[in-house]
């Protein structure tokens, strides 16, 4: 059977990057989302992962050999996150089970595997850094664990292989995405430039001083493709980051420089973006109208709350990639260049001035 990929969450940062890469590599690619995006080489599948009936109807005759699950929905409590997000995994794999076509499922989670869920993020006893895959699960409820279990159960029934991918904070483009630091910082910098406001680091002294890393969505897509086709990578969980480390004390001025603004000297005071940008919706709408931008709705572009969570952590976060390196995945992406590539794309697409 020819290789055929189904990307669940194809409109998101990870899913859109994976869909584009698989299509470039000559795969037949189906992109599943409630509102599928138009991407060259992508066959759209409109379905709701919460609705088994819609999935069954939409996936009739699709019969993928490989599935990439890169979707989640935020809820008010972790128990609700567990219930809904694990159900979405089960619903999709249950809908595909009768065809018996699946050879591999790749599940994308993240470093909350080590840091804990939103309700307990970066609190309590954390495993030592750098985070390594063998450190296992925290003794706390976490929707990532529930999603993993749903994949493991389906794999045991269906006889297919799986991989789990744990990126750090993602750099990539997807309007409306809930985890979107790169676009959030680009919009914030653009507002500072247009209004003359100070470009203030919003995070903690620890994040300013300590080492950290990030994940370019394009590199994550390449790891997913590699793990989906490399026999030695079957049934393994992998961390995935760009391969460099940096301090925000170095990165923040570089981002400011790209936008032609100066970064304010950080005095150790935490100034969350949610607070800094709480009144910026009309400001952005005016900028968008005046500069002819494609998206005037600030809430569809930024995720200040999630950026604050990442930049406000009081601990160092560094990620080990020895496991996939030993198996042959050697890709590398400088993080500052990942930011700059994203900013260029946002400007080309008229999402920032």
């Amino acid at each position: 059977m020819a290789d055929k990929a189904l990307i669940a969450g194809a409109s998101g940062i990870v899913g859109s990057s994976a869909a584009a890469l698989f299509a470039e590599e000559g795969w037949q690619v189906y992109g599943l989302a409630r509102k599928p995006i138009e991407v060259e080489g992508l066959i759209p599948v409109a379905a709701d992962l919460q609705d088994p009936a819609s999935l069954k109807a939409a996936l009739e005759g699709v019969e993928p050999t490989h599935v990439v699950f890169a979707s989640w929905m935020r809820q008010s409590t972790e128990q609700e996150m567990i219930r809904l997000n694990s159900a979405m995994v089960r619903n999709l794999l249950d809908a595909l089970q009768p065809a018996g076509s699946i050879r591999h499922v790749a599940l994308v989670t993240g470093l909350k595997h080590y840091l804990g869920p939103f309700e307990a993020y970066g609190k309590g006893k954390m495993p030592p850094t750098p985070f390594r895959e063998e450190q296992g699960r925290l003794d706390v409820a976490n929707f990532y664990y529930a999603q993993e279990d749903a994949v493991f159960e389906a794999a045991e029934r269906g006889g297919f292989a799986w991989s789990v991918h744990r990126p750090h904070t993602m750099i990539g483009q997807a309007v409306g995405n809930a985890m979107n630091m790169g676009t959030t910082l680009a919009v914030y910098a653009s507002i500072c430039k247009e209004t003359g406001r100070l470009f203030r680091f919003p995070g903690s002294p620890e994040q300013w001083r300590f080492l950290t890393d990030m994940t370019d969505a394009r590199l994550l897509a390449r790891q997913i493709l590699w793990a989906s086709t490399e026999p030695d990578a079957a049934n393994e969980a992998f961390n995935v980051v760009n391969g460099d480390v940096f301090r925000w004390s170095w990165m923040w001025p570089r981002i400011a420089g790209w936008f032609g603004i100066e970064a304010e000297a950080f005095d150790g005071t935490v100034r969350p973006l949610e607070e800094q940008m709480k009144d910026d919706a009309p400001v952005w709408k005016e900028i968008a109208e005046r500069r002819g931008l494609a998206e005037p709705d600030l809430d569809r572009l930024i995720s200040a709350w999630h950026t604050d969570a990442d930049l406000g952590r009081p601990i160092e976060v560094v990620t080990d990639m020895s496991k996939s390196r030993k198996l042959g995945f050697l890709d590398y992406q400088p993080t500052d260049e990942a930011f700059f590539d994203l900013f260029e794309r946002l400007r080309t697409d008229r999402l920032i001035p």
Side-chain angles (χ1 to χ4, degrees), residues 111 113-114 127-137 166 237-239 318-323 326:
L111 293 197
H113 181 93
Y114 311 104
T129 56
F131 295 141
R132 302 176 187 274
E133 294 94 342
E134 62 267 23
Q135 287 169 325
R137 297 179 175 184
R166 299 171 185 158
F238 299 106
N239 293 333
V318 182
T319 316
D320 180 73
M321 275 190 67
S322 297
K323 190 175 186 181
K326 288 178 180 178

Side-chain angles (χ1 to χ4, degrees), residues 263-304:
E264 182 189 41
F266 181 59
D267 64 3
T269 303
V270 179
R271 298 182 174 91
L273 280 182
E274 274 202 303
E275 178 63 26
Q276 291 193 53
M277 302 183 75
K278 62 183 174 61
D279 299 320
D280 279 346
V283 175
W284 183 254
K285 184 177 181 182
E286 187 278 326
I287 293 171
E289 291 173 351
R290 174 164 48 83
R291 300 295 297 269
L293 303 182
E295 181 52 75
D297 185 348
L298 183 68
D299 289 338
R300 282 185 48 74
L301 289 175
I302 72 167
S303 54

Side-chain angles (χ1 to χ4, degrees), residues 182-198:
T183 301
T184 299
L185 295 182
V187 169
Y188 173 55
S190 298
I191 290 174
C192 290
K193 183 172 184 176
E194 294 281 327
T195 63
R197 276 163 43 184
L198 295 172

Side-chain angles (χ1 to χ4, degrees), residues 45-68:
V45 177
D48 186 345
L49 290 167
Q50 300 179 66
D51 183 354
S54 83
L55 285 168
K56 182 178 179 181
L59 294 171
E60 184 70 32
V62 172
E63 300 184 0
T65 58
H66 295 71
V67 175
V68 177

Side-chain angles (χ1 to χ4, degrees), residues 5 43 46 48 77 115 118 142 148 150 178 209 232 245 248 264 273-274 277 287 311 340:
I43 303 168
D48 186 345
T77 69
L115 287 162
F118 290 120
N142 190 324
E148 286 183 346
R209 297 194 310 266
D232 288 342
V245 293
W248 278 103
E264 182 189 41
L273 280 182
E274 274 202 303
M277 302 183 75
I287 293 171
L311 295 182
F340 301 157

